[in-house]
Amino acid sequence: MESSKVQMIESSLVAPSEASPTKALWLSPFDLALANRGHTPLVYLYSSGAAFFDTARLKEGMAKALASFYPLAGRLGVDDAGRARISCNGKGVLFVVARSYLKSDDLDFSKPSPELRRMFVPRIEPSSLIMAAQVTFLKCGAVALGVAVHHAAVDGPSTFHFMQTWSAFSRDALAAVELPCHDRTLLHARCPPAVHPGALSVLCPKVTFSEASGPTATEVFTISRDQLVTLKRLCGGATTFCSVSALVWRCAIAARRLPPDAEARLSFPANVRRRLRPPLPDRYFGNALVWLGVAAAARDVATEALASVAGRIGGAIARMDDGLVRSAIDHLELAGAAADGRPLRGSMPETELRITSWLGMPVYDADFGCGGPQVMSRAESVRGGFVYLMDQPGGGVRVVMCMEAANIKSFQRLLYANITKASKL
């Protein structure tokens, strides 16, 4: 924490308000595949929240929520075979209270940065902590809420389910909530594992990360509601995700000046909860993501109709059925997913782009009594080749892009030039 800008007032552990199961929680292959992502740093900004963020009430609400979401109060460890697991022991979530002389206008909370993470997301010590939260009272009366949750424990839908529940209990101690499902054996590999040969053409192959050849930069680009309507029409009525991803992929390839014959690959996580038969419970708590991939020659992505590029992406999603998901689970089990939980380092090759979508997720539903957040974003994004798509308040999409600093201005120019061109068609 940068003591000159943010001063810590209090640090404590918040345990579940009721006795929770004490056990080792088995992690599925999907959980293990994301263990090396470390903690996901999030930041929420409440423009007039100081009067509503009573820390005692927040702790009470968190303790009540943890009674049901008890894995978050545990610790990440390994079993005798070296496989990662969560020790559900009720030790608690790290809760930090801080103050700052900064005002909300002094920083762009919508743009991830190392500074934003250092100041407003608590430092994770020890690394086995599953979750930590920090409430920072700003000089202007605004409140920044920073949250870090280990990706081995949860994916986006599960994280936001907890945030909805915590905020609901902070508003009303008797709030009605939807309970999570903790049965991760629903995503157990088959015995014996069996990977359908056709699945490997859709599943994203393992990517080697390395130190970038130069500095990376993170920028945020917005696509307005009207621009999005036009873009989706240009893409033949494709979904928001497919339309925006097709445009971002094309512009990234052009900005990076890839050779025409180079194989460009786009990968993205897809939620499997409704794709399995029978489907997972709606409130399944854990990681339920399969990584899909689309590959094509750079010249094809650059020259074919944007609707065709969107169709490539949509085609991969359309193939995600129960058989593909089961093959993905078995493939990860056979491959031996990462189990040490150490954070991923480095950037992706310039031929690769990875897009994570939070579109349609309740990212703004964390209402602690003063309404939803004015801004919600990742606090940091520093790995080149990673893109995040989020709903923009009032409509439209926010594109958080991290790529080579030398190419990002070109990407920006191409992105908006393509959007402007589409608007004139």
Side-chain angles (χ1 to χ4, degrees):
M1 185 178 297
E2 298 188 355
S3 58
S4 62
K5 297 179 180 179
V6 178
Q7 295 182 335
M8 184 173 68
I9 299 173
E10 174 193 343
S11 178
S12 60
L13 291 173
V14 177
S17 61
E18 301 173 11
S20 55
T22 301
K23 62 179 181 179
L25 183 64
W26 179 85
L27 297 182
S28 78
F30 286 152
D31 296 322
L32 297 182
L34 292 168
N36 64 355
R37 292 296 185 84
H39 293 82
T40 301
L42 308 176
V43 64
Y44 297 75
L45 177 67
Y46 297 84
S47 56
S48 57
F52 297 90
F53 277 75
D54 176 76
T55 55
R57 185 166 52 82
L58 291 178
K59 289 181 184 180
E60 267 183 48
M62 177 178 280
K64 286 181 176 293
L66 289 174
S68 298
F69 293 78
Y70 56 86
L72 297 179
R75 297 293 181 267
L76 191 66
V78 295
D79 61 18
D80 292 340
R83 184 187 180 104
R85 66 182 184 183
I86 294 176
S87 297
C88 298
N89 50 28
K91 287 188 175 180
V93 168
L94 177 64
F95 189 94
V96 176
V97 181
R99 291 193 181 276
S100 174
Y101 69 83
L102 295 172
K103 295 182 289 187
S104 58
D105 292 342
D106 293 334
L107 289 167
D108 184 355
F109 280 84
S110 68
K111 181 179 177 179
S113 67
E115 181 184 35
L116 206 62
R117 180 172 189 168
R118 281 195 302 269
M119 289 193 294
F120 300 113
V121 179
R123 184 176 179 180
I124 305 296
E125 289 184 348
S127 60
S128 59
L129 273 169
I130 302 293
M131 181 178 175
Q134 177 179 317
V135 178
T136 304
F137 296 91
L138 304 180
K139 183 179 180 181
C140 59
V143 172
L145 172 62
V147 175
V149 188
H150 204 291
H151 218 325
V154 287
D155 59 10
S158 293
T159 297
F160 299 126
H161 181 198
F162 173 78
M163 294 300 296
Q164 286 176 307
T165 306
W166 176 22
S167 60
F169 277 134
S170 296
R171 296 193 314 270
D172 178 2
L174 300 177
V177 299
E178 296 181 74
L179 297 178
C181 168
H182 295 298
D183 184 6
R184 302 196 183 203
T185 62
L186 294 171
L187 294 178
H188 205 289
R190 292 173 290 196
C191 186
V195 181
H196 190 281
L200 297 179
S201 65
V202 181
L203 299 177
C204 176
K206 185 176 181 179
V207 178
T208 300
F209 290 79
S210 60
E211 289 301 319
S213 57
T216 60
T218 302
E219 294 291 345
V220 181
F221 308 104
T222 57
I223 300 174
S224 71
R225 180 187 304 192
D226 291 343
Q227 290 170 333
L228 181 59
V229 170
T230 301
L231 177 61
K232 292 172 69 173
R233 185 171 64 246
L234 183 65
C235 290
T239 65
T240 295
F241 173 76
C242 291
S243 300
V244 175
S245 296
L247 177 61
V248 169
W249 192 22
R250 167 176 286 181
C251 293
I253 287 172
R256 287 168 158 174
R257 297 176 291 280
L258 295 184
D261 293 332
E263 183 182 67
R265 181 173 294 276
L266 175 73
S267 58
F268 50 91
N271 190 337
V272 308
R273 286 170 172 79
R274 309 306 300 170
R275 300 285 181 149
L276 287 166
R277 294 294 176 266
L280 291 179
D282 287 339
R283 291 305 195 174
Y284 175 83
F285 194 72
N287 287 285
L289 303 174
V290 62
W291 288 86
L292 304 179
V294 182
R299 72 156 61 84
D300 293 339
V301 180
T303 59
E304 67 186 22
L306 198 61
S308 296
V309 181
R312 290 177 182 269
I313 300 168
I317 296 172
R319 290 182 61 183
M320 189 177 65
D321 57 12
D322 180 80
L324 180 70
V325 175
R326 297 295 178 186
S327 286
I329 295 171
D330 293 352
H331 177 64
L332 289 171
E333 187 70 25
L334 289 170
D340 57 17
R342 289 178 295 181
L344 192 66
R345 303 294 184 190
S347 294
M348 302 181 74
E350 291 190 16
T351 53
E352 300 273 348
L353 197 68
R354 181 159 291 181
I355 299 181
T356 298
S357 172
W358 290 352
L359 299 171
M361 295 189 195
V363 299
Y364 298 101
D365 285 3
D367 176 6
F368 289 88
C370 58
Q374 177 187 351
V375 179
M376 185 275 158
S377 181
R378 280 186 64 94
E380 183 182 43
S381 180
V382 295
R383 292 196 295 273
F386 278 69
V387 185
Y388 295 87
L389 305 183
M390 302 178 62
D391 293 306
Q392 182 76 358
V397 174
R398 184 154 38 112
V399 180
V400 180
M401 163 67 84
C402 181
M403 68 185 306
E404 311 78 37
N407 297 330
I408 202 159
K409 290 299 181 184
S410 179
F411 174 84
Q412 178 180 7
R413 177 180 56 78
L414 289 162
L415 182 74
Y416 287 121
N418 276 269
I419 290 174
T420 300
K421 180 181 178 180
S423 299
K424 294 179 179 178
L425 295 177

